[in-house]
Amino acid sequence: MMKTKKLCDPALIIVAAGSSTRMGGTKKEYLPLNGGTVLSSAAKVFLETFHFSAILITCPLKESEELQNLEFSRAKEAFFKDPSVKKLVENTKINFIPGGKSRQESVYKALCALKTDFPDSNMAVFIHDGARPFVTQQIIKDTYNAAVQYGASVPGIQPVDTQNELDEDGFILRHLTRSKLTAVQTPQVFLFEELLEAHKKAIHSGKEYTDDSEIWDLFVPDGKVKIVSGDSTNKKITFKEDLKFNTGEKMIRTGLGYDKHPLVSGRDLMLGGIKIESDLGEDGHSDGDVLLHAITDAILGAAGMGDIGSFFPPSDPQWKDADSKMLLKTVWDKITSSGWKLGNLDCVIALEKPKFLPHRQEVIDSIASVLNVNSNQVFVKAKTGEKLGDVGQCRAVEVWATCLLEK
């Protein structure tokens, strides 16, 4: 096991320097996908998971400065096609560089560029295929955590079909044990300095390598690569049919949440993480934020992950007066790590007084901030009880919330 000192923010290298010949010459990373492109979709998942010291994108190498600048422009346009990507990289150094004649050379050039910008940095570096846009946050987190512990990590999946090794004439040479095999994916994560030195040795060896894990395994002393669980949906786009297959796998799920709390004196009225001036507030085991509780149940229901009580049972004293924003954030991190994204959220508050409208935008922005989504994906409206029932008599507040999740 490789011992590591505390690392600074990781770097991300996105390899997109290929010619896409198996796509008929159409640059696959620049194809439209999910409101952006294949490249922006691949990058966005990383940006929603970690803050990076730097991001380097390798582009096809061109024979003249004019053509190279044109290629850089195409890559930048594809990278920022999704407007949310630009917001996510506001404080991150982005660099588009020419790749090499092979994947190995492209990665090496990116590592050298990273060394120039961060000569003394102790970091881990992600290396990811720009044509692999269906990666999940869970894979990203798992590979990083394993690399911090072991020095190198890659995701892999066990082959479904039996694997055999062939001889040069096309006959079976050896029957392989499927349970001992793995099909390697990206992102692959390594300690930066060690990987750079390994690449230098690989160049001097005179042999070309197609995978950085092999370079690490061969040229890092006592270097071993830890395998973490990959995902069959984390497919690399190679042929046009790959895009059709993956977009056809998209799931859309709806969820419904409901909660009701009595209103009492001596408690704050909390709605969406915002304190509303009121003589009465929600009575509850946590801070009583009935709106966030209903939202939490809605997204858990859509993801099929239980309900708020199963995560934070009221019988457990640790949740006494807990911040409901923290509870929602804990649940949402688990849901997004499984690949889910929010389509939209719509909520109705039943509250006799005070008037909710003056606080609506602040509440919407607060909820969007907790979920790390755009405010236009969230809407909240309020109705009174018309003096009828618990709500109308100012004895209770209740909320209904519906959401749409996509995966």
Side-chain angles (χ1 to χ4, degrees):
M1 183 183 299
M2 184 168 291
K3 300 293 184 181
T4 65
K5 58 183 179 181
K6 186 176 180 181
L7 303 178
C8 63
D9 289 340
L12 171 63
I13 295 172
I14 300 180
V15 184
S19 58
S20 300
T21 54
R22 287 175 288 186
M23 291 286 287
T26 301
K27 184 65 175 161
K28 55 192 175 185
E29 290 88 352
Y30 304 164
L31 291 173
L33 182 67
N34 295 336
T37 63
V38 171
L39 179 59
S40 68
S41 297
K44 185 176 180 179
V45 187
F46 286 88
L47 298 172
E48 291 175 334
T49 309
F50 286 118
H51 178 267
F52 291 91
S53 298
I55 299 174
L56 297 92
I57 299 95
T58 66
C59 303
L61 179 64
K62 299 299 181 180
E63 57 271 22
S64 71
E65 183 178 354
E66 181 181 2
L67 290 175
Q68 191 66 66
N69 288 334
L70 180 61
E71 189 62 47
F72 287 155
S73 296
R74 293 179 66 207
K76 290 176 183 177
E77 182 181 0
F79 186 82
F80 292 111
K81 186 71 172 179
D82 184 336
S84 62
V85 170
K86 188 172 185 179
K87 183 178 179 181
L88 289 167
V89 297
E90 284 179 348
N91 300 312
T92 303
K93 183 179 179 62
I94 309 292
N95 198 5
F96 293 82
I97 65 171
K101 296 178 181 179
S102 66
R103 187 183 189 281
Q104 179 184 342
E105 186 179 346
S106 292
V107 172
Y108 178 62
K109 290 175 74 172
L111 292 171
C112 290
L114 190 60
K115 180 67 173 177
T116 299
D117 290 337
F118 298 90
D120 301 313
S121 181
N122 182 50
M123 66 171 68
V125 58
F126 284 82
I127 300 173
H128 186 63
D129 299 321
R132 205 180 287 266
F134 305 106
V135 63
T136 66
Q137 288 189 330
Q138 191 66 54
I139 292 175
I140 294 170
K141 291 176 181 178
D142 288 348
T143 49
Y144 178 77
N145 291 335
V148 169
Q149 184 175 3
Y150 300 103
S153 176
V154 303
I157 56 175
Q158 184 176 319
V160 176
D161 300 317
T162 298
Q163 307 289 301
N164 293 310
E165 182 181 349
L166 304 180
D167 64 17
E168 58 186 15
D169 297 316
F171 293 95
I172 293 177
L173 179 66
R174 188 158 58 106
H175 296 271
L176 305 177
T177 304
R178 187 171 57 190
S179 61
K180 294 183 178 180
L181 301 176
T182 188
V184 171
Q185 302 176 327
T186 68
Q188 302 186 359
V189 190
F190 309 89
L191 296 181
F192 168 60
E193 294 288 351
E194 287 84 347
L195 181 64
L196 177 57
E197 291 304 311
H199 262 269
K200 291 177 180 178
K201 294 175 183 177
I203 289 175
H204 293 307
S205 73
K207 181 182 175 182
E208 185 176 316
Y209 300 91
T210 60
D211 188 84
D212 296 285
S213 63
E214 184 179 10
I215 292 175
W216 179 278
D217 197 46
L218 291 173
F219 298 106
V220 174
D222 300 321
K224 288 188 175 182
V225 181
K226 178 66 175 178
I227 297 292
V228 300
S229 296
D231 193 314
S232 60
T233 63
N234 183 27
K235 187 177 179 66
K236 184 178 180 181
I237 295 171
T238 305
F239 305 100
K240 292 180 180 179
E241 291 76 16
D242 296 330
L243 267 177
K244 294 177 183 178
F245 169 78
N246 280 280
T247 53
E249 288 290 304
K250 185 175 182 178
M251 288 190 292
I252 297 177
R253 301 274 293 272
T254 61
L256 173 64
Y258 169 79
D259 200 16
K260 183 177 183 179
H261 280 254
L263 291 172
V264 297
S265 60
R267 294 275 295 188
D268 292 333
L269 178 62
M270 302 296 300
L271 292 173
I274 300 299
K275 180 180 175 181
I276 308 295
E277 287 299 323
S278 174
D279 295 333
L280 303 174
E282 299 111 325
D283 189 17
H285 186 65
S286 64
D287 62 8
D289 195 322
V290 64
L291 176 56
L292 293 187
H293 295 175
I295 291 171
T296 303
D297 265 345
I299 62 174
L300 281 170
M305 292 185 178
D307 58 29
I308 190 171
S310 60
F311 275 79
F312 314 107
S315 58
D316 191 333
Q318 69 172 309
W319 309 123
K320 177 68 175 173
D321 298 324
D323 184 347
S324 293
K325 290 192 296 183
M326 179 273 293
L327 304 183
L328 175 59
K329 181 69 163 56
T330 300
V331 166
W332 186 238
D333 285 346
K334 185 176 181 65
I335 290 172
T336 54
S337 293
S338 298
W340 292 106
K341 295 182 180 181
L342 182 71
N344 78 298
L345 175 68
D346 189 28
C347 310
V348 178
I349 302 172
L351 177 67
E352 192 67 18
K353 61 179 184 179
K355 289 186 179 296
F356 176 72
L357 186 59
H359 309 282
R360 178 158 69 188
Q361 193 57 51
E362 185 180 10
V363 169
I364 288 174
D365 291 342
S366 174
I367 296 168
S369 177
V370 174
L371 299 177
N372 194 27
V373 299
N374 294 324
S375 294
N376 61 12
Q377 293 173 263
V378 178
F379 196 73
V380 183
K381 47 192 174 290
K383 304 291 182 182
T384 68
E386 300 291 343
K387 309 293 185 182
L388 300 174
D390 289 340
V391 171
Q393 295 300 311
C394 298
R395 294 194 298 265
V397 55
E398 55 187 338
V399 172
W400 294 262
T402 64
C403 72
L404 185 146
L405 298 187
E406 302 170 327
K407 187 176 184 180

